[in-house]
Amino acid sequence: MNTQAKPPSFPPQRPPGGWKLPAVLPITWKKPFEWLWMGLKDMGHSPWLSLMHGLVLALGGGLITWLAHDRFWLLAGAVSGFLVVAPVLATSLYAMSRAIERKEPVNFGLLIQTWTRWQTQRFNEPASYWCLVRFGVLLGLAGTGWVMTSSALITLLTPEPVQTPMDFIHHVVLSQEHHVFELWLVLGGLLAAPVFASSVVAMPLLLDRKLNTLQAVLISWKTALTHPLPMALWALLIMGLSLFGVLMLFVGLVLVVPILGHASWHAYRDLVDTSDLAERTPSQGTL
């Protein structure tokens, strides 16, 4: 009989009942406001590093608008994809909040490490840092799907062609002859809800714990379904602040992005019981 012990592997072998999702911690409906306050405090810890993230996204949004200002669907697609992928772009903000929580140094080197460490990982390793990249691709595809669906809806139901942002305002938003705008908002909400449920804690979770993308998404869904009202409030706050930042000609994103990024870390920490989840550590070649 071969009694040689088998080497450990990751992810661990599934127990008879399958992989068990971690517990979701109890919260009150007021928690989203506390997350924003904690995000503001984290931003104050290293303001220049935090605001740099917002500045990069604001410049990116401004560049998109400048390049596609007279082509509505290109502009809508770029901005939608930009906002959907924003949780991925905020990864180093999560790393900063984690370092603050652990009383570790928060400096530019931390940001460099966060954005370069994934390149040293094997792409096929189930719980490697590549999971962050894969999830970002999925979010980008979700944004593309929304723009294609939106374009098809308005093209089919609007009698006038919509080619520019002003066409959209005149023929869809301000039109009194049909209810395309209301239908467009409902459809957007229906498509945005599963994206939010899939990502509400997934990105900071993938940064912090050794999980693959599917596991992180399942935990995120469990979180959203366990606390539907606080999560709905959190989604409204994120949407409202992001819309404010965009309507301020993207300048508002300089402040909004770091607050939401840091706050999202605290949301993850307050929502998910990570005591049984393996931690990513630099000694293992991951973050």
Side-chain angles (χ1 to χ4, degrees), residues 19-285:
W19 183 75
K20 185 179 180 181
L21 295 175
V24 175
L25 301 173
I27 63 169
T28 67
W29 69 271
K30 299 178 182 179
K31 267 293 180 181
F33 297 105
E34 295 182 21
W35 298 333
L36 289 177
W37 173 244
M38 295 166 75
L40 184 62
K41 289 175 64 178
D42 279 2
M43 187 184 71
H45 183 279
S46 301
W48 293 112
L49 288 179
S50 295
L51 292 172
M52 182 178 66
H53 291 77
L55 179 62
V56 169
L57 290 182
L59 291 175
L63 179 62
I64 289 171
T65 303
W66 179 69
L67 293 175
H69 68 280
D70 58 345
R71 288 166 286 182
F72 176 69
W73 291 115
L74 178 59
L75 176 62
V79 172
S80 297
F82 177 76
L83 293 177
V84 168
V85 181
V88 183
L89 302 178
T91 298
S92 44
L93 288 169
Y94 312 144
M96 289 175 62
S97 285
R98 182 177 63 174
I100 294 170
E101 179 182 301
R102 297 176 176 180
K103 296 180 172 54
E104 297 174 349
V106 178
N107 49 41
F108 192 71
L110 173 65
L111 307 188
I112 298 298
Q113 184 187 46
T114 302
W115 287 109
T116 58
R117 180 71 77 169
W118 61 272
Q119 299 181 45
T120 66
Q121 304 304 300
R122 292 179 298 173
F123 183 79
N124 292 324
E125 185 180 344
S128 76
Y129 197 50
W130 276 96
C131 290
L132 292 163
V133 181
R134 296 189 191 104
F135 193 68
V137 171
L138 292 176
L139 290 177
L141 291 175
T144 302
W146 155 243
V147 173
M148 294 177 64
T149 304
S150 175
S151 175
L153 173 73
I154 291 179
T155 300
L156 289 173
L157 299 182
T158 304
E160 301 292 337
V162 176
Q163 301 294 340
T164 68
M166 291 308 298
D167 290 339
F168 180 78
I169 293 174
H170 287 307
H171 304 315
V172 178
V173 178
L174 300 179
S175 176
Q176 302 295 324
E177 300 177 1
H178 47 68
H179 299 283
V180 176
F181 183 59
E182 290 82 355
L183 182 60
W184 182 78
L185 290 177
V186 170
L187 180 63
L190 291 175
L191 293 178
V195 173
F196 173 78
S198 299
S199 61
V200 62
V201 298
M203 289 306 301
L205 184 58
L206 286 171
L207 174 79
D208 191 47
R209 301 290 158 166
K210 293 188 68 175
L211 298 170
N212 60 40
T213 306
L214 177 59
Q215 291 169 333
V217 169
L218 290 176
I219 294 171
S220 194
W221 267 93
K222 181 179 179 181
T223 299
L225 293 175
T226 302
H227 299 299
L229 293 181
M231 290 299 95
L233 175 59
W234 183 226
L236 288 174
L237 289 172
I238 293 174
M239 182 176 63
L241 289 172
S242 299
L243 184 61
F244 167 79
V246 171
L247 293 179
M248 293 289 291
L249 302 178
F250 294 96
V251 175
L253 292 180
V254 175
L255 185 62
V256 168
V257 166
I259 292 176
L260 289 180
H262 289 306
S264 295
W265 169 262
H266 292 286
Y268 149 67
R269 296 294 287 152
D270 281 345
L271 287 166
V272 182
D273 180 1
T274 59
S275 57
D276 293 329
L277 300 177
E279 184 179 3
R280 296 189 189 275
T281 60
S283 61
Q284 296 171 314

